[in-house]
Amino acid sequence: MSAPTLEAVARDRAYMAEALALAANGLYDTKPNPTVGCVLVKNGRVIARGWTAPAGGPHAERVALNAAGAEARGATAYVTLEPCCHQGRTGPCTRALIEAGVARVVYAGRDPNPRVNGAGARELEAAGIRVEGGLLESEAEPLNRGFFARMRRGRPWVRCKIAASLDGRTALANGESQWITGTAARADVHRWRALSGAVVTGSGTVLRDDPSLDARRAESGIDPKVGVKQPLRVILDSRLRTPPTAKTLSLPGEVLIFTTHDGDEAQGVLERAGARVERVEGGEHCDLGRVLARLAELEVNDVWVEAGARLDGAFLQARLVDELVIYVAPRLLGDGARGMFASPALESLADAWRLRFDQVREIEGDLRIVARVLR
């Protein structure tokens, strides 16, 4: 087979880029499934498009195939993730592509789900379909970073959110912190919450600030036509100090409280208030690794941590933070104010945590820094 021309390669990249843009439509509501886009092309013309519906609904390939009907025979399918080949909430997409008579499938990245992981491509090839993978793979990876993390290592992708002054302070010495950043930055936080499968905080934050922890569409600015699935709200509360009157317990959606206590009256009170309470290993504090493993079992892909310096520091010390999302306000709070992380003093600069700035963006006067924690 001759090598593809530069023009053909450019066309493939353009169609895959369109599929990636389609996949982004499902970022807020496909979880725990990965968000996927599909473009069907025949005779140089796009005949159908699709992206993954909310969990339980059709995957991107089936949406596009249903739209194309009989015209899908002989077409090329551009898909942002290797088509699945197993029976889940819906039937395998490989079977749908084969039955539709698609001639060629081009996908961005291999699906790391052990039930797929190359088997989808092999099944298509065995049916006589030409299969090509790896197109715009690095561009596709951020769409499903949490899903990939859960499948590859058995725990979600963890982002730690911090709002701080320019001198790195998150609250005054008396605990006052509302609000260091402006309204636009706080609206941006709601978008990140909506992208996450779980929002995690500690009981200290609940007692001090009584946060809602939900993703509020009215404040987020998310298009009303876009579906939003509320994240699981998680409280780490080893001593079950969360009051049954906590604001987050009265809101729509689920609240899960992790504790190291065995069941007692406090657990019953919280359960009657609407929370689910689960015990995890740990002494004075919940074992964070076990918490994340349990959230992975619950099919949580992305965890958004909004907590105080103590819990943030514990996640960091346990090497469980993948990214920091830091909102920096143009103000100074001084030496007496509280810092970002409660952690042991370092003996040497060589011991400092190393980060990589992936994005720096101004949000109406504040800065949002997305920084990868380097292992």
Side-chain angles (χ1 to χ4, degrees):
M1 183 182 297
S2 60
T5 65
L6 290 177
E7 183 180 0
V9 170
R11 283 198 301 268
D12 282 348
R13 291 178 66 87
Y15 290 133
M16 185 61 77
E18 184 174 355
L20 289 172
L22 290 169
N25 288 315
L27 281 171
Y28 294 106
D29 66 359
T30 64
K31 48 187 177 283
N33 291 338
T35 181
V36 179
C38 178
V39 174
L40 290 177
V41 178
K42 187 175 182 179
N43 298 327
R45 179 176 65 88
V46 175
I47 61 172
R49 301 171 175 86
W51 63 87
T52 301
H59 292 184
E61 299 94 318
R62 289 181 176 271
V63 173
L65 290 171
N66 289 339
E71 198 174 0
R73 184 163 298 278
T76 294
Y78 295 87
V79 191
T80 58
L81 188 67
E82 175 189 4
C84 65
C85 57
H86 64 284
Q87 179 69 45
R89 296 179 177 89
T90 60
C93 291
T94 50
R95 181 54 47 196
L97 290 163
I98 293 168
E99 292 175 351
V102 168
R104 177 176 175 239
V105 172
V106 181
Y107 66 87
R110 176 179 286 192
D111 187 340
N113 186 333
R115 301 172 72 184
V116 186
N117 199 22
R122 290 192 295 271
E123 183 175 322
L124 294 171
E125 289 172 336
I129 296 175
R130 182 179 164 195
V131 180
E132 300 165 33
L135 181 63
L136 300 189
E137 183 172 9
S138 60
E139 289 85 346
E141 190 271 342
L143 285 167
N144 293 300
R145 191 167 280 154
F147 175 78
F148 292 160
R150 177 166 68 89
M151 288 298 165
R152 289 169 178 161
R153 68 189 189 189
R155 71 173 188 270
W157 187 263
V158 176
R159 295 180 175 95
C160 184
K161 170 261 177 182
I162 297 171
S165 60
L166 188 59
D167 53 348
R169 304 298 174 174
T170 60
L172 299 179
N174 63 10
E176 182 184 349
S177 62
Q178 297 180 348
W179 299 101
I180 291 176
T181 55
T183 55
R186 298 199 296 277
D188 192 64
V189 169
H190 282 283
R191 289 188 284 273
W192 282 95
R193 287 181 183 176
L195 288 168
S196 305
V199 175
V200 175
T201 195
S203 58
T205 297
V206 173
L207 290 168
R208 182 178 63 251
D209 298 333
D210 195 19
S212 298
L213 303 177
D214 58 344
R216 296 193 285 280
R217 182 190 290 276
E219 296 182 38
S220 69
I222 297 172
D223 189 327
K225 294 180 290 186
V226 174
V228 174
K229 182 179 180 180
Q230 281 293 331
L232 174 68
R233 303 192 293 278
V234 178
I235 302 171
L236 307 186
D237 188 357
S238 58
R239 290 179 283 170
L240 291 180
R241 299 186 300 160
T242 299
T245 55
K247 186 190 304 179
T248 193
L249 297 179
S250 65
L251 299 174
E254 295 182 85
V255 177
L256 173 59
I257 298 176
F258 285 109
T259 184
T260 58
H261 269 45
D262 288 319
D264 57 15
E265 179 56 27
Q267 177 174 336
V269 169
L270 289 169
E271 289 175 338
R272 288 190 291 275
R276 187 164 91 247
V277 180
E278 291 192 13
R279 186 180 181 279
V280 292
E281 296 299 319
E284 184 180 354
H285 305 291
C286 297
D287 184 303
L288 299 180
R290 291 181 182 271
V291 166
L292 293 179
R294 175 56 180 151
L295 291 178
E297 290 177 354
L298 296 173
E299 298 187 301
V300 170
N301 296 327
D302 299 89
V303 165
W304 178 256
V305 179
E306 283 196 42
R310 184 175 299 173
L311 185 55
D312 288 344
F315 268 104
L316 192 65
Q317 289 295 314
R319 299 183 180 274
L320 294 173
V321 178
D322 296 296
E323 279 182 325
L324 300 177
V325 181
I326 304 175
Y327 297 87
V328 181
R331 57 176 68 188
L332 303 173
L333 301 187
D335 283 346
R338 300 179 182 182
M340 294 185 185
F341 300 97
S343 59
L346 300 179
E347 298 282 332
S348 166
L349 281 177
D351 298 328
W353 291 91
R354 297 191 178 274
L355 312 173
R356 183 187 73 212
F357 288 165
D358 283 350
Q359 185 187 85
V360 179
R361 175 184 166 189
E362 183 176 0
I363 301 180
E364 294 189 15
D366 297 318
L367 288 182
R368 185 188 69 195
I369 301 171
V370 179
R372 186 76 60 89
V373 179
L374 303 180
R375 303 297 178 192

